[in-house]
Amino acid sequence: MKSEDNPLIQGILQEARARAAEKEAAAEKEAAAIIAEAHERAGKEAMMEERSFSVRLDQIQAREESARRNIDRLSELRGLDSAYRAVMAEVEQRLQKKIADPSFSDVLVTWIAEAAIGLDRKEAKVSFSEKTPVTPEMLRAAEHLVKKETGADVQLSIDPERLSGAGVVLSSMDGKVSYNNQLDVRMRRYSRDIRRIVQEENARQNSR
């Protein structure tokens, strides 16, 4: 009798085949689980990478947008500075022409009165340059203007010391306090207002 025909051997073979089938099925199941897990992990990693890329892209775009705004702002500021310098040059040119006009003495009277009010002293001496001479008559007119505007009495006298620039400087009699109303100082004093006007005009032009 062949060994394959032996019931005992057949039983062992069947049991071995059954175990092999179970192991094969278990191996296939494990392999499938490993593959599924790998696919899931790969999907998650791909999603994370995609999110990371999206974040980096957003960051790059944000930096580019910020750089663009900075460039636009820098260009705008340069344009404003150029316009401001042009306006200030025009103002100075017109004032220089005005200084040469005899009617400028009336303007100078208002500058003296303004400085006297700002100095707030009962007595003050007035320095001026040869470009913008001051006479005793102009001092009396300035005193009258101060009285009219504030009700205060002030006595003004000519300071023998001369200035190099156009305009006037009023000082207390002891020279400790002064109010500078020279042309270049006045321009600096009003420069902020002029720059604001230039900015507003530029914004108005751009909004059209």
Side-chain angles (χ1 to χ4, degrees):
M1 183 175 65
K2 295 181 179 179
S3 59
E4 289 84 352
D5 295 332
N6 190 313
L8 179 60
I9 294 177
Q10 287 182 356
I12 294 173
L13 290 174
Q14 287 176 357
E15 186 179 350
R17 291 190 187 101
R19 289 181 180 177
E22 288 177 1
K23 290 182 178 180
E24 185 178 354
E28 290 177 354
K29 185 177 180 180
E30 185 179 356
I34 292 172
I35 293 171
E37 184 181 354
H39 280 303
E40 184 179 359
R41 188 184 302 113
K44 289 181 179 179
E45 290 177 355
M47 187 179 298
M48 290 176 61
E49 183 64 26
E50 184 177 351
R51 288 178 181 172
S52 177
F53 175 76
S54 178
V55 169
R56 289 198 299 271
L57 182 60
D58 289 343
Q59 290 174 343
I60 291 172
Q61 291 174 340
R63 285 197 294 268
E64 289 178 349
E65 179 65 19
S66 177
R68 185 189 64 78
R69 286 197 300 269
N70 288 339
I71 291 172
D72 290 344
R73 179 61 177 162
L74 181 60
S75 177
E76 180 184 357
L77 289 175
R78 286 177 176 172
L80 288 174
D81 284 342
S82 178
Y84 168 76
R85 287 194 297 270
V87 169
M88 291 296 284
E90 180 68 18
V91 169
E92 184 174 8
Q93 185 178 15
R94 292 189 181 188
L95 284 174
Q96 291 294 345
K97 289 181 179 179
K98 185 72 174 176
I99 287 173
D101 193 303
S103 64
F104 187 73
S105 60
D106 294 334
V107 176
L108 208 54
V109 167
T110 63
W111 287 12
I112 295 170
E114 179 185 69
I117 294 171
L119 188 64
D120 193 22
R121 293 290 190 277
K122 293 186 179 297
E123 295 182 69
K125 50 187 178 180
V126 182
S127 303
F128 55 89
S129 75
E130 299 300 333
K131 297 177 182 178
T132 53
V134 173
T135 65
E137 293 74 21
M138 292 170 64
L139 295 185
R140 304 292 83 79
E143 290 171 354
H144 177 75
L145 187 56
V146 171
K147 178 70 174 180
K148 178 182 176 182
E149 294 295 327
T150 68
D153 291 316
V154 60
Q155 293 183 356
L156 302 175
S157 59
I158 292 178
D159 190 334
E161 187 173 342
R162 293 292 177 264
L163 305 174
S164 59
V168 295
V169 174
L170 270 68
S171 305
S172 58
M173 300 308 292
D174 58 9
K176 293 182 178 180
V177 185
S178 64
Y179 189 105
N180 193 328
N181 235 358
Q182 291 180 272
L183 177 60
D184 59 340
V185 174
R186 287 182 64 86
M187 288 186 65
R188 287 197 300 271
R189 192 175 296 152
Y190 293 106
S191 62
R192 180 176 298 178
D193 292 332
I194 294 174
R195 183 179 290 275
R196 176 180 54 79
I197 292 171
V198 170
Q199 289 175 336
E200 290 175 352
E201 179 62 21
N202 183 71
R204 189 176 66 83
Q205 292 289 342
N206 290 336
S207 64
R208 288 181 175 179

